[in-house]
Amino acid sequence: MSSMKKFKKVEKPLSPTRHYSVCIPTTLVSDCRNLSQITHKVYQVAKFASLFNVSEVVILEDNSQASATKKKISTAKLILALLQYFVTPPYLRNTVFKENFKPYLAVASKLPRLSTLPFTRYEKQDHGRYREGLTVKMQKPTLARKRTGKEFKQTKYINIGKPEALALQSQLVPINARVTIDTITRKIVSPQEAYGDFTGMDSQYGYHTRIASSFTDLFMKGPLKEGYTQSIYVPLTTKDTHIPALTSLPATGTSPNILLVLSAWDTLLRAFELDKDQFVECQGPQEFFDAQLPCPVATSDLTDTIPMVLTTLSTLF
């Protein structure tokens, strides 16, 4: 009788839910005076985004501030790097982030891990069947590939934070991709299969991040081919925008993708004015929103607004 232990695969039910994309402007950190303050503010965004299963965080670049200072890295890219850092397993951070980014991540490296992410549920990282990994180049491509001289863009090796890369049993995948690995079967699995309660996009667990460098990019360059099901404006000011109040949301069983734009109206107006030539006979940014949902407690602080609005959406609609 074989002494090798058999592992039984446990199927985990998926929770039907709405997928939320949250847009934050770079004015999020306009009142911060140093890297420490910026990092702590972005950490709060990351914490609430992971807690409420936000699928995507979009950073709307406020171009009125882009050329105001001569920084080595733009504000939008700094926020993006920090957001990505907080959802990257510690054992992959040295691989994912290039050396020139590390000075900007010095404060972030001292902050606690986000406990709501499934790959941080074990205190000892070697425990657990599933791990996040990063695909790496094969050291010895086939002789046929060597003869052609073509770049080898696929691999079977995955960096999962161990001394040696894990070799997939029967798969070849693109290099430099974030994947979820079943360490027992040595196969790539979906985050849904690994974690069960996955609610983000299809390629990895946790929220996706992207920069919208213009008003057009905010709506037109999302990761979803079908676009957003509904766009909702969450005002950080009391200015009248003539956007109707939110009265309902699509049923959770339909898996709708909802874009929440949290911003002062002036910020959106500036972005729209820079891009208005793209929109024929459009009177303003209000025409891009289906509804608005004011924060239950009036505040201009975006980090306070996120949890209150997401709680409202989860309990009242």
Side-chain angles (χ1 to χ4, degrees):
M1 183 176 177
S2 175
S3 61
M4 190 169 179
K5 185 178 178 180
K6 292 184 178 181
F7 291 86
K8 184 178 180 181
K9 189 173 179 179
V10 179
E11 296 294 337
K12 303 172 186 177
L14 299 181
S15 302
T17 187
R18 302 182 182 105
H19 302 310
Y20 289 110
S21 294
V22 173
C23 173
I24 57 174
T26 52
T27 52
L28 164 76
V29 297
S30 60
D31 61 341
C32 297
R33 297 184 178 182
N34 51 49
L35 178 62
S36 179
Q37 291 181 357
I38 291 173
T39 303
H40 280 82
K41 206 156 198 178
V42 176
Y43 180 74
Q44 291 301 312
V45 174
K47 186 175 182 180
F48 291 132
S50 63
L51 179 64
F52 286 93
N53 288 322
V54 169
S55 301
E56 178 191 30
V57 180
V58 187
I59 304 143
L60 177 61
E61 198 161 19
D62 186 354
N63 291 309
S64 67
Q65 298 179 335
S67 59
T69 57
K70 295 181 179 179
K71 296 179 180 178
K72 292 182 178 179
I73 182 174
S74 70
T75 301
K77 287 183 179 179
L78 175 57
I79 295 173
L80 182 80
L82 289 169
L83 286 171
Q84 290 176 332
Y85 184 85
F86 293 131
V87 292
T88 300
Y91 52 83
L92 290 180
R93 287 172 177 171
N94 286 336
T95 304
V96 172
F97 296 95
K98 296 180 180 179
E99 195 68 31
N100 60 322
F101 269 98
K102 291 185 178 179
Y104 301 103
L105 303 172
V107 178
S109 65
K110 299 176 183 178
L111 294 176
R113 289 181 290 170
L114 300 178
S115 60
T116 51
L117 298 176
F119 48 78
T120 62
R121 68 180 62 176
Y122 302 101
E123 291 185 7
K124 294 183 179 180
Q125 295 173 13
D126 285 342
H127 292 185
R129 174 172 181 170
Y130 301 101
R131 286 173 74 89
E132 296 298 293
L134 188 70
T135 60
V136 294
K137 285 185 178 181
M138 294 177 68
Q139 298 299 316
K140 295 180 180 179
T142 62
L143 291 174
R145 178 68 62 175
K146 282 185 175 180
R147 291 193 200 101
T148 62
K150 293 181 179 179
E151 185 180 358
F152 198 66
K153 296 183 179 181
Q154 289 188 312
T155 183
K156 66 176 182 178
Y157 294 108
I158 315 295
N159 175 7
I160 59 170
K162 302 277 190 176
E164 294 184 3
L166 180 144
L168 295 176
Q169 189 173 37
S170 58
Q171 292 172 296
L172 281 178
V173 291
I175 61 173
N176 297 324
R178 173 85 173 268
V179 292
T180 303
I181 298 294
D182 184 332
T183 59
I184 303 302
T185 63
R186 290 188 290 131
K187 291 182 178 180
I188 292 175
V189 297
S190 69
Q192 293 98 323
E193 181 179 344
Y195 306 126
D197 53 356
F198 173 75
T199 60
M201 299 299 176
D202 290 337
S203 66
Q204 68 184 56
Y205 190 91
Y207 52 77
H208 278 233
T209 53
R210 69 179 176 96
I211 294 174
S213 57
S214 67
F215 191 81
T216 304
D217 289 352
L218 172 58
F219 295 94
M220 303 301 292
K221 291 194 176 180
L224 303 166
K225 291 182 180 179
E226 65 274 19
Y228 298 107
T229 309
Q230 194 173 21
S231 57
I232 300 171
Y233 173 54
V234 179
L236 299 182
T237 56
T238 56
K239 192 169 183 178
D240 186 10
T241 59
H242 302 291
I243 300 174
L246 180 67
T247 57
S248 65
L249 290 176
T252 56
T254 60
S255 296
N257 299 287
I258 300 168
L259 174 65
L260 300 171
V261 179
L262 287 69
S263 174
W265 186 249
D266 289 345
T267 303
L268 288 183
L269 198 57
R270 281 196 299 269
F272 175 79
E273 287 296 320
L274 290 171
D275 235 14
K276 64 181 180 181
D277 291 343
Q278 302 290 326
F279 314 113
V280 180
E281 298 181 358
C282 185
Q283 301 302 311
Q286 66 273 9
E287 296 187 26
F288 289 82
F289 295 98
D290 301 297
Q292 70 171 323
L293 178 65
C295 185
V297 178
T299 176
S300 59
D301 192 310
L302 198 149
T303 53
D304 291 337
T305 303
I306 293 174
M308 287 191 281
V309 167
L310 289 171
T311 298
T312 301
L313 290 170
S314 64
T315 58
L316 297 183
F317 296 95

